[in-house]
Amino acid sequence: MRRPKIGLMLFAMLVANGVTPVANLPAPLTAPQALAQTPNARKAEAERLDGQAFDQYLANQQEAALQSWQQALLIYQELKDRRGEELVLEKIDMVYETQADRLRKQGAGQYFTSQWAAALQSLEQSLLIYRNIKNRKGEALALGGIGLVHDSLGDYAKAIDYTQQQLGIAREIEDPLNERAALANLGGIYLNLGNYPKGIEYSQQVLALVAADGFPDPQAEGKAVANLGAAYVSLGDYAKAIGYLQQQLANAREIGDRRSEGAALGNLGVAYSNLGDYAKAIESSQQQLAIVREIKNRRSEGLALANLAMAYIFLGDYTKAIDYTQQSLAIAREIKDRRNEGALLGNLGVAYRRLGDYAKALEYSQQQLAIAQEIQNREGEGIALHNLGFTLYKQGNFVTAEPILMDAIKVLESIRAGLGSNDANKVSIFERQVGTYQTLQKVLIAQSKTEPALEIAERGRARAFVELLADRLQDDRLQVEGSAPPSNLQPPTIEQIKQIAKAQASTLVQYSIIYDTFKVQGKQQAQESELYIWVIKPTGEVTFRTADLKPLWQKQNISLEELVTSSRDSIGVRGRGLAVASKVDKTSTNKRLQQLHQLLIQPIADRLPKDPNDRIIFIPQRELFLVPFPALQDASGKYFIEQHTIVTAPAIQVLELTHKQRQRVSGKEVLVVGNPTMPKIAPKIGEKPEPLSQLPGAEQEAKAIASLLKTKPLIGKQATKIAIAQQMPKAKIIHLATHGLLDDFKGLGVPGAIALAPSEQDTGLLTASEILDMKLNAELVVLSACDTGRGKITGDGVIGLSRSLITAGIPSVIVSLWSVPDAPTASLMTEFYQNLQKNPDKAQAMRQAMLTTMKQHPDPKDWAAFTLIGEAQ
């Protein structure tokens, strides 16, 4: 299709808009006076000018060519030679298009060298020309370039606007390369805004389009993979980030894209730093620095220097860290990179705080905050507020620190709220935010504000789980009632916490592990310093106590986490179905269990109920989820279960939600599964899958329990994944006696699976991620299997089977904390159900089952593995 006539009208329009599309172009020509020539002679003159112009164009004399074509155009218009006029107009069009392309490429070059003001001017001139000559593809390219410049300048609203225009044109003219470029750029812009779901969504759209179209697009694909790597670095999922970044690095090296290679190395440096591998971090950042200096990319040079500085901060070499940061800051200011300028000021604040220069630390953090608020960088604002509050805390200025840290928490929570319903991303980013909640707890405790500190401790745990559970309950209400407002669940106040204790008729015990930075072997390291413990009685009385954790690593060279692990090792836990148990050193077992009792129980022993039937609900944190509370021993050697009835929960507010779930239970059947035909699992990646070991004791257990509950168990080949998944939503009680597995088999961020019989349609593994999507109606699920209470331990609690079951609608879940032995477990479970038929309190039924089993099997490994999570009634 012919382009429309533009000629002199276009040039006049460009000049009127203040744009000179070709350097030193002559002013628009006026028609020369007609000579006394015949029409044929005039046409010959036009043709001569046309030919002359073409020769000038080929000789790259574009100004002269344009002048010659404009003279020819006037003659053709005088002769009313429409065909000649159209041909000359197309050639004038070609000149303008050439100039537009030159300006766009010039703008791109200026962008890559961080000359953003010049890049913007060139690209805007290019855009105006493309629009006037109706070149839609060129218009889209120019819009994309302008969007990138505004992104680099921190003007994200304009960046999104221009890039969305690029995307709209690309889809309109069916230009897949422009469409993918626009989507990749939008992904990057939203990441810079801290909107990770949209950033990930747009980037994944690029990869989906490349896969669907079937032809490669290294540039867009490389940008999308880079975005995903950067996104998961920001979300704190460093393992996933490294996977994408290694892919970006390989792609960049394959196509010789040095800029992308440098960017990938830079983000790998950040990921390795956060994983504590500082040698790899420095190596990656040094490689990045060499590349970006070679290609003279000032912006990336600044980022490489910043990455090196951060690694040296972690290593405690603050002199080097400050030097590299100052170099990076100078570049950020030179190229007007406000986002990185703010981050670098924050890093300087951290370095000076570590050196004890609090005045300078506060000054730099204030500058960081001002920039973050100016460019509306919410993540940067939250970090700056945390830095300010933490420095004030270290300075001893608790009163001033308190409101600043509270503001930081509000900003961080607004970022998590922006992640929508993406549970995995909320969990990942929360890992990077827990420090702010801890610092505010320390500030409040320093002022003896123990109840407000409890509110913050509760607010800073299992929030993603609480929100996921609340949303699921809300969805159920929508289905029942037809309409309901969004859940918008707020963290509980102290009064609500007291009401939950009253409603549960239980004593709540909440732990918070507090970290501080200490010099260990010449390096600054975060170490466990204290254990905060709150006891909330059903009467509403709240008691606060502490336990000093520093002697553990200062005198015994062991952390709390290592103590928990060694206590489990000392019990001698073994895999279910194995013939030989691990050797148990009774003295070592007692010592470790008593040491844990001294830390976790002794400080609050006087506040615990005296009646052994009164429930205690433990709210652990991190490694404390793996503590065998029933087996803890006091100084006299008595086990904790002998004196108390135990329940656990990931957060106090979870109890409020499981209580609501209990009221909605509608299942009527009983589902009992034992010793299914086992699926095949590869012992290690790349090895040949082998069937899991059979569990004859689990089969006997299932038959005995099924007889008690008056149902027929599913055994062997009958216990297929398909059959079990179909029956689970109808059941009131679900008992699964089989292997439990810890791995994330589908890579969905939710580890754990239940081993069931395979079929032609599946492998037999019912994964935690699949359970998460179910809608279950049972009042109780018992996972009489190995390690079903374990999973990925995060700041949000244990991500695994128990979390998935509770989210799916189960108010009470019984799981194991280690690989449980066959025969004692069968005995314990039979006792549990016999007790439950006499007393509906599940916690008391489990306690009595443990006490009975203990008489025949005295080793804790045989009876102490199981824990009730959620509702006792």
Side-chain angles (χ1 to χ4, degrees), residues 42 109 111 119 205 230 283 346 350 471 567 630 703 738 752 778 791 793 803 820 867:
R42 295 290 284 156
Y111 166 76
Q205 282 184 48
E283 180 187 358
V350 171
D471 288 343
S567 73
K703 289 177 179 177
T738 181
I793 297 178
R803 189 177 195 266
V820 288
T867 184

Side-chain angles (χ1 to χ4, degrees), residues 73-90:
L73 177 64
L74 290 173
I75 295 173
Y76 282 125
Q77 289 173 339
E78 171 196 326
L79 295 173
K80 295 185 171 49
D81 184 339
R82 298 304 181 200
R83 175 62 179 161
E85 184 181 351
E86 284 184 3
L87 289 172
V88 171
L89 282 169
E90 287 182 357

Side-chain angles (χ1 to χ4, degrees), residues 344-354 357 360-362 364-365 387 391:
L344 291 162
L345 288 164
N347 291 348
L348 283 171
V350 171
Y352 279 110
R353 184 179 70 228
R354 295 278 180 90
D357 190 339
K360 274 191 177 178
L362 290 170
Y364 281 119
S365 297
N387 286 343
T391 302

Side-chain angles (χ1 to χ4, degrees), residues 57-276:
Y57 177 77
L58 291 177
N60 202 28
Q61 299 170 3
Q62 293 188 19
E63 301 171 28
L66 189 61
Q67 186 174 25
S68 297
W69 268 319
Q70 288 171 335
Q71 288 174 346
L73 177 64
L74 290 173
I75 295 173
Y76 282 125
Q77 289 173 339
E78 171 196 326
L79 295 173
K80 295 185 171 49
D81 184 339
R82 298 304 181 200
R83 175 62 179 161
E85 184 181 351
E86 284 184 3
L87 289 172
V88 171
L89 282 169
E90 287 182 357
K91 291 164 187 173
I92 292 172
D93 186 348
M94 180 177 62
V95 176
Y96 285 128
E97 188 167 315
T98 300
Q99 178 63 2
D101 287 343
R102 186 184 69 79
L103 284 164
R104 181 178 57 77
K105 289 173 183 174
Q106 175 181 295
Q110 291 162 331
Y111 166 76
F112 286 126
T113 55
S114 306
Q115 297 171 348
W116 293 324
L120 198 57
Q121 183 179 19
S122 297
L123 288 163
E124 285 174 342
Q125 289 181 32
S126 173
L127 176 63
L128 186 56
I129 297 171
Y130 280 132
R131 281 179 169 167
N132 280 287
I133 63 177
K134 302 292 191 279
N135 183 338
R136 298 289 276 164
K137 182 173 182 177
E139 181 182 356
L141 287 168
L143 286 164
I146 294 170
L148 286 173
V149 175
H150 282 297
D151 178 36
S152 296
L153 290 168
D155 192 341
Y156 302 123
K158 280 187 179 178
I160 290 168
D161 179 38
Y162 279 106
T163 313
Q164 286 286 10
Q165 290 182 59
Q166 177 192 17
L167 181 61
I169 292 172
R171 286 173 170 169
E172 175 192 327
I173 65 175
E174 297 182 358
D175 179 355
L177 291 176
N178 247 318
E179 180 181 9
R180 295 170 189 174
L183 289 167
N185 290 344
L186 281 168
I189 295 164
Y190 277 109
L191 291 182
N192 286 337
L193 268 172
N195 190 332
Y196 306 116
K198 277 197 173 181
I200 291 169
E201 178 191 340
Y202 279 118
S203 302
Q204 287 177 335
Q205 282 184 48
V206 176
L207 300 182
L209 284 173
V210 170
D213 292 344
F215 65 90
D217 186 350
Q219 280 193 323
E221 192 172 1
K223 178 73 181 288
V225 170
N227 287 344
L228 290 167
Y232 287 110
V233 166
S234 295
L235 288 166
D237 192 340
Y238 302 114
K240 190 176 279 189
I242 287 170
Y244 281 115
L245 293 170
Q246 291 284 14
Q247 187 180 338
Q248 178 193 359
L249 185 61
N251 290 349
R253 285 173 172 168
E254 183 180 341
I255 65 175
D257 185 346
R258 297 288 273 168
R259 183 175 182 273
S260 182
E261 182 183 357
L265 287 164
N267 280 327
L268 280 168
V270 174
Y272 287 130
S273 275
N274 281 286
L275 288 172

Side-chain angles (χ1 to χ4, degrees), residues 421 423 463-472 772 803 807:
S421 60
D423 180 55
R463 292 314 302 166
F465 186 16
V466 166
E467 289 164 11
L468 184 65
L469 193 51
D471 288 343
R472 185 64 65 89
L772 195 65
R803 189 177 195 266
T807 304

Side-chain angles (χ1 to χ4, degrees), residues 330-345:
I331 293 173
R333 285 172 170 164
E334 171 196 325
I335 64 176
K336 296 181 171 54
D337 184 347
R338 298 288 279 163
R339 182 183 179 89
N340 277 318
E341 181 184 355
L344 291 162
L345 288 164

